[in-house]
């Protein structure tokens, strides 16, 4: 029987987020869990817990899904074997980013839901991929296909993130973080603190700006996932 890995996507992304990883992880059973349609994290993890039948799971979350994965682990620690965050942190968003997102949300609702602009999509990618039309189209299509209602709920949830740093670091499970050093969407101070103070948490960084790591660095990420799964539980 293949080892299962449960996958939580990020804001306005769906199962296509994992499309480049799947061929590289065929020794594992990958289970995509859409983010519940609520901006209340307590309700979100409760719904996820009701969906998961396995007693203990390996849980990987990307971006908003990374925060949700952390929140799930702190509320249902008995359900987690291993935890991995990709381009995510267990922390609130910085105030500047919150204000930018509130303005974006207001503009989107005032002008009508028009999807993710080409320029905004480029900003999520590594500089070397900013002319990759196939990748840009994929990110834009995921965003557009999820629609306005999902966008409003998921954006609202990002404003309600609390720091759960202490709760997470108290867990006695293998935890791995993977992120880009110049990803402007994550809380780098949180990651620096974790890296400095907690030996049971492995923090791995890469040079670059990419936020969309599952689509841009699938080979590196798949290798990290394999090593994470092979780590001994505490």
């Amino acid at each position: 029987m293949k080892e299962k890995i449960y996958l939580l996507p990020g804001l306005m992304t769906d199962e296509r987020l994992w499309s480049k990883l799947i061929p590289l992880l065929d020794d594992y059973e990958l289970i995509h869990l859409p983010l519940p349609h609520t901006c209340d994290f307590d309700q979100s993890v409760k719904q996820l817990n009701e969906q998961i039948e396995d007693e203990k799971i390996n849980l990987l979350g990307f971006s908003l899904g990374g925060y949700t994965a952390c929140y799930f682990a702190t509320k249902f620690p008995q359900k987690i074997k291993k935890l991995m965050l990709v381009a995510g942190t267990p922390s609130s968003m910085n105030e500047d980013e919150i204000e930018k997102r509130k303005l974006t949300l207001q503009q989107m609702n005032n002008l009508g839901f028009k999807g993710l602009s080409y320029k905004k999509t480029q900003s999520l990618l590594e500089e070397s991929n900013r002319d990759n039309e196939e990748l840009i189209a994929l990110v834009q299509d995921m965003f557009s296909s999820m629609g306005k209602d999902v966008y409003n709920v998921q954006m609202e949830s990002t404003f309600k993130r609390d720091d759960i740093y202490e709760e997470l670091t108290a867990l006695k499970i293998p935890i791995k973080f993977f992120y880009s050093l110049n990803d402007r969407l994550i809380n780098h101070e949180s990651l620096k603190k974790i890296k400095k103070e907690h030996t049971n948490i492995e923090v791995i960084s890469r040079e670059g700006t990419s936020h969309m790591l599952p689509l841009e660095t699938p080979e590196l990420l798949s290798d990290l996932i394999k090593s994470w799964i092979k780590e001994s539980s505490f």
Side-chain angles (χ1 to χ4, degrees):
M1 183 178 294
K2 293 183 177 181
E3 184 85 7
K4 295 179 182 179
I5 304 174
Y6 284 80
L7 305 171
L8 283 170
L11 188 146
M12 301 301 279
T13 58
D14 57 27
E15 65 274 6
R16 287 172 287 179
L17 177 70
W18 320 114
S19 58
K20 296 185 183 298
L21 273 176
I22 291 171
L24 304 174
L25 293 170
D26 55 3
D27 288 338
Y28 304 94
E29 181 180 352
L30 305 181
I31 302 170
H32 173 75
L33 289 172
L35 293 176
H37 190 59
T38 174
C39 58
D40 183 320
F41 284 107
D42 287 311
Q43 285 297 317
S44 181
V45 298
K46 180 181 178 182
Q47 290 179 36
L48 289 170
N49 187 51
E50 290 170 354
Q51 294 177 43
I52 298 168
E53 297 180 357
D54 295 292
E55 290 185 8
K56 293 180 79 72
I57 67 169
N58 304 303
L59 183 60
L60 182 151
F62 166 74
S63 195
L64 177 59
Y67 181 85
T68 305
C70 287
Y71 203 91
F72 183 93
T74 63
K75 296 299 181 181
F76 301 99
Q78 74 282 1
K79 294 286 292 265
I80 301 294
K81 285 195 287 187
K82 297 180 177 72
L83 179 67
M84 185 169 181
L85 275 74
V86 178
T89 67
S91 51
S92 58
M93 303 201 75
N94 65 61
E95 289 300 321
D96 287 345
E97 183 63 26
I98 288 175
E99 290 306 312
K100 287 179 184 177
R101 290 190 175 206
K102 286 183 176 179
L103 180 60
T104 299
L105 185 61
Q106 183 181 18
Q107 290 175 337
M108 188 76 78
N109 283 302
N110 288 342
L111 300 174
F113 183 79
K114 297 180 180 179
L116 196 62
S117 72
Y118 191 92
K119 185 176 180 180
K120 180 67 174 179
T121 306
Q122 285 182 308
S123 73
L124 300 173
L125 304 177
E126 201 63 59
E127 187 172 347
S128 59
N129 273 327
R130 290 179 183 172
D131 293 322
N132 186 328
E133 299 295 337
E134 180 182 358
L135 183 56
I136 290 170
L138 173 59
V139 175
Q140 287 183 309
D141 192 53
M142 284 193 291
F143 191 101
S144 296
S145 64
M146 298 193 76
K148 178 181 177 180
D149 289 344
V150 172
Y151 176 74
N152 279 311
V153 168
Q154 292 190 354
M155 281 287 276
E156 184 70 24
S157 73
T158 67
F159 309 150
K160 299 181 178 181
R161 290 170 50 154
D162 294 321
D163 286 319
I164 51 174
Y165 167 83
E166 292 185 1
E167 294 90 335
L168 183 72
T169 54
L171 300 177
K172 302 302 180 183
I173 57 173
I175 303 174
K176 190 187 293 285
F177 289 75
F178 176 49
Y179 71 103
S180 296
L181 285 171
N182 295 307
D183 181 351
R184 63 176 184 78
L185 293 183
I186 62 175
N187 187 323
H188 291 272
E189 291 305 313
S190 173
L191 288 171
K192 288 178 183 177
K193 187 176 182 181
I194 290 171
K195 189 173 184 178
K196 182 178 179 180
E197 298 180 8
H198 295 277
T199 57
N200 67 308
I201 299 176
E202 185 178 11
V203 181
I204 298 173
S205 60
R206 62 175 291 278
E207 293 289 341
T209 60
S210 173
H211 187 68
M212 304 301 294
L213 294 171
L215 290 170
E216 294 197 88
T217 64
E219 292 84 5
L220 175 56
L221 180 53
S222 65
D223 287 343
L224 293 175
I225 290 171
K226 291 171 186 176
S227 67
W228 166 64
I229 291 295
K230 292 176 182 176
E231 291 172 6
S232 299
S233 298
F234 296 106

